[in-house]
Amino acid sequence: VALGEGDEVPARRPHRGRVAGLPEADPPLARAVRAHHVELLAAAAVGVQVGAAIVASRWVVRDLGPTSLAFLRYLVGAASLLPIVAATRQPWSLAGGLRERLAIAALGVGQFGLLIALLNLGLTRLDAGLGALIFATFPLVTLLLAVLLGRERFSVAAGAALVLTIGGVALALGVRVPVVADRAAFAF
């Protein structure tokens, strides 16, 4: 298109930071949407990481053993974080009293030691897919514990969503659920 004398070309504003479909005059909403996308991407990345870790654990657990693999897994993780911690130059602070520190230590041993060692032990006999499916039931167990301890209110919608999600994953993996109502169950 040829421009004649006196024709003005409208200046285009950069689209940096804009989210499609949102008005330009609403930056807080745009920032919230971008932050939500980052959270979803982070959650998806964690899902891929957990799946890859389960497959890799299944592959090497028979050679290393469940507890050695758990130890090495977190040793590599700690070694990976040390340069980041050193670069921040923040002082290490252990807030709280002895009771809080013991609770944090118990949580660390249970969550990062015992849990992974038991997962590795299970992977010596289970397929990686079935191990991942069992691992995926943790949100349901967490919800049940939170309700039983009075920390959260039970919602039928949340319970149904969790059950349907886990059931859908089971169907997708082709997992056969053992039937208890077998002839042997009625033998007594």
Side-chain angles (χ1 to χ4, degrees), residues 80-154:
S80 300
L81 290 176
L82 280 177
I84 296 169
V85 171
T88 62
R89 299 181 189 258
Q90 295 287 330
W92 285 60
S93 172
L94 293 174
L98 179 62
R99 182 177 177 195
E100 288 84 8
R101 292 178 186 178
L102 289 175
I104 291 171
L107 181 63
V109 168
Q111 176 70 28
F112 298 108
L114 188 59
L115 173 80
I116 297 303
L118 290 174
L119 174 65
N120 292 339
L121 181 64
L123 289 174
T124 61
R125 298 185 186 250
L126 298 175
D127 293 342
L130 184 55
L133 178 63
I134 294 169
F135 199 76
T137 63
F138 285 147
L140 179 59
V141 173
T142 302
L143 174 65
L144 291 175
L145 285 174
V147 169
L148 290 174
L149 294 173
R151 301 290 182 174
E152 292 185 22
R153 290 179 33 173
F154 179 75

Side-chain angles (χ1 to χ4, degrees), residues 4 17 56 63 68 71 98 117 128 141 159 178 184:
D63 294 332
S68 296
F71 174 76
L98 179 62
V141 173

Side-chain angles (χ1 to χ4, degrees), residues 29-103:
L29 181 59
R31 281 193 301 271
V33 169
R34 278 193 307 277
H36 184 66
H37 287 304
V38 169
E39 292 164 357
L40 290 175
L41 288 173
V46 168
V48 170
Q49 180 186 12
V50 168
I54 289 175
V55 170
S57 296
R58 172 75 170 103
W59 187 39
V60 299
V61 71
R62 291 190 182 204
D63 294 332
L64 295 175
T67 53
S68 296
L69 179 58
F71 174 76
L72 290 173
R73 185 175 175 175
Y74 287 106
L75 180 66
V76 169
S80 300
L81 290 176
L82 280 177
I84 296 169
V85 171
T88 62
R89 299 181 189 258
Q90 295 287 330
W92 285 60
S93 172
L94 293 174
L98 179 62
R99 182 177 177 195
E100 288 84 8
R101 292 178 186 178
L102 289 175

